[in-house]
Amino acid sequence: MKKIITIVLIVAIISVVCAGVLCGCQPNDENTVKLIEVTHSVFYAPLYVALDGGYFEEEGLKIELTNGGGADKCMTSVISGQSDIGLMGPEAAIYIYNEGRTDYPKIFAQLTKKDGSFLMARTADDNFSWSSIAGKEVIGGRKGGVPAMALEYGIKKAGLVIGETYTMNYDVQYDLIGAAFESGTGDFCTMFEPAASNMQKAGMGYIVASVGEQAGNMPFTAFMATQSYMNENPEKMEKFTRAIIKAMDYVNTHTAKEIAEILAPSFVGTDLETLTTSIQSYKDIDAYCSTPLMEKADFELLQDVIIDSGVMTKRADFDKLFDPTIAKAMLEK
């Protein structure tokens, strides 16, 4: 009996191993792109328009979208080959490049050009000034994260000094900021849409300013892939970029309500009115890119923000980190 059980177990193990080997040997579906996003937000409206509006489908692409829950996890997924393309902040690529990795991820298309967070106060204030933060506590998110660094940079432009004229709270996790603020922590906090509008609708906080407007134009989120993947999959890269360009054009030429109606399937549970308000908030601050081409001056401002915060001292080479070849070719067509 023991021999029979042993044989059965051996056969089962061999079957599983063989199945895994065979699966691993199968070529990657030429029409499938494994895309990982840093988080799920209306801030990335053009992406969801490309998905729900059928632009990827028009190009013959099937997108397998996963949520990374952070730039570090997204980058790990991309460089390990678990994901083909990553949507995240360019700083993730900058850090990898500065480490000296040979097959470092290259940015091939920018999606947003400003910080997408909004400053929330405990009371509505139509006459808000950034100097109002003096003597107050702000929940800023993870120390070293670009949202926190952009916020620091924006407040610094108002002449305030962190730790001297105001306090920055880095102890609250990103996904718990809203709950912490509502429970009484801090005088101000930052929220992305649609969380900001939902908080305001509930009367728990009020949008008083845009961090993106205050900090200035910088490449906040972009698509990137390893050089090897880009070299091995030129047609996929072209099709993907072309779909994104079409979606960008739609977002920049249609109303917030029209955009909300298109991407609603990607935000089940969020009503159309909130989606519309959120998208309009981003259109009002000109957060969405009209072209996937990245501006060097904006890239350098992002590096200024990171260096100013003390996270890094070495600059990355813009021309080596951003590859405009595919975007330019698709725009010309």
Side-chain angles (χ1 to χ4, degrees):
M1 186 65 178
K2 289 182 179 179
K3 288 184 179 180
I4 294 175
I5 293 175
T6 301
I7 292 172
V8 170
L9 286 173
I10 292 173
V11 171
I13 292 170
I14 291 173
S15 298
V16 170
V17 172
C18 288
V21 171
L22 289 173
C23 184
C25 291
Q26 290 176 352
N28 187 26
D29 184 349
E30 62 181 13
N31 297 317
T32 299
V33 172
K34 293 178 289 184
L35 172 65
I36 188 165
E37 59 181 358
V38 65
T39 189
H40 196 68
S41 171
V42 177
F43 188 39
Y44 312 138
L47 168 61
Y48 309 120
V49 167
L51 282 167
D52 301 321
Y55 292 118
F56 284 127
E57 188 176 355
E58 283 180 9
E59 295 294 333
L61 292 180
K62 177 185 176 183
I63 304 297
E64 292 183 357
L65 181 65
T66 56
N67 189 327
D72 53 344
K73 297 182 181 66
C74 283
M75 183 54 72
T76 298
S77 184
V78 169
I79 62 179
S80 68
Q82 294 178 337
S83 296
D84 303 323
I85 295 173
L87 173 65
M88 66 193 92
E91 74 281 356
I94 291 173
Y95 299 153
I96 294 295
Y97 173 83
N98 282 345
E99 288 176 1
R101 182 184 173 89
T102 304
D103 188 19
Y104 57 87
K106 278 200 169 184
I107 301 164
F108 64 90
Q110 183 178 333
L111 191 71
T112 59
K113 55 183 175 180
K114 282 186 176 74
D115 184 308
S117 57
F118 293 88
L119 188 69
M120 310 297 296
R122 295 205 171 278
T123 57
D125 186 356
D126 294 333
N127 299 310
F128 172 81
S129 167
W130 284 88
S131 60
S132 301
I133 291 176
K136 306 295 185 181
E137 178 185 359
V138 185
I139 304 177
R142 178 177 61 84
K143 187 174 179 59
V146 172
M149 290 188 282
L151 176 60
E152 292 171 13
Y153 188 80
I155 297 175
K156 184 178 180 179
K157 286 176 68 176
L160 303 182
V161 180
I162 189 170
E164 294 182 17
T165 50
Y166 78 100
T167 302
M168 187 75 82
N169 184 335
Y170 300 107
D171 298 333
V172 183
Q173 291 180 205
Y174 170 77
D175 56 348
L176 298 177
I177 289 178
F181 187 71
E182 291 176 6
S183 67
T185 301
D187 301 294
F188 296 93
C189 74
T190 55
M191 302 292 290
F192 278 74
E193 290 285 17
S197 290
N198 284 332
M199 179 182 282
Q200 183 162 283
K201 185 181 293 185
M204 302 301 291
Y206 299 87
I207 299 172
V208 293
S210 160
V211 176
E213 276 191 319
Q214 176 68 4
N217 281 9
M218 63 184 79
F220 209 75
T221 41
F223 294 103
M224 57 194 77
T226 59
Q227 296 177 89
S228 57
Y229 180 82
M230 293 173 68
N231 293 336
E232 293 165 9
N233 299 276
E235 288 188 16
K236 277 188 182 179
M237 296 301 300
E238 289 184 0
K239 291 177 179 179
F240 185 94
T241 306
R242 189 158 48 232
I244 291 296
I245 290 173
K246 291 177 183 178
M248 282 182 174
D249 183 62
Y250 186 93
V251 169
N252 282 282
T253 57
H254 288 73
T255 66
K257 184 178 179 182
E258 290 172 323
I259 298 166
E261 290 172 342
I262 292 289
L263 54 72
S266 288
F267 293 89
V268 176
T270 303
D271 62 83
L272 187 63
E273 181 184 355
T274 300
L275 283 177
T276 301
T277 300
S278 301
I279 294 167
Q280 189 59 54
S281 294
Y282 287 129
K283 288 175 79 71
D284 287 344
I285 66 169
D286 193 27
Y288 300 125
C289 289
S290 57
T291 168
L293 296 176
M294 186 181 293
E295 296 291 336
K296 184 174 182 179
D298 295 350
F299 180 80
E300 294 304 341
L301 175 58
L302 173 62
Q303 296 207 95
D304 287 343
V305 169
I306 300 173
I307 291 171
D308 190 65
S309 71
V311 171
M312 71 178 194
T313 56
K314 180 182 177 182
R315 286 182 178 272
D317 188 329
F318 172 77
D319 295 321
K320 291 184 178 179
L321 206 52
F322 175 62
D323 186 349
T325 308
I326 299 170
K328 283 184 175 180
M330 296 306 98
L331 287 170
E332 289 174 0
K333 289 183 179 180

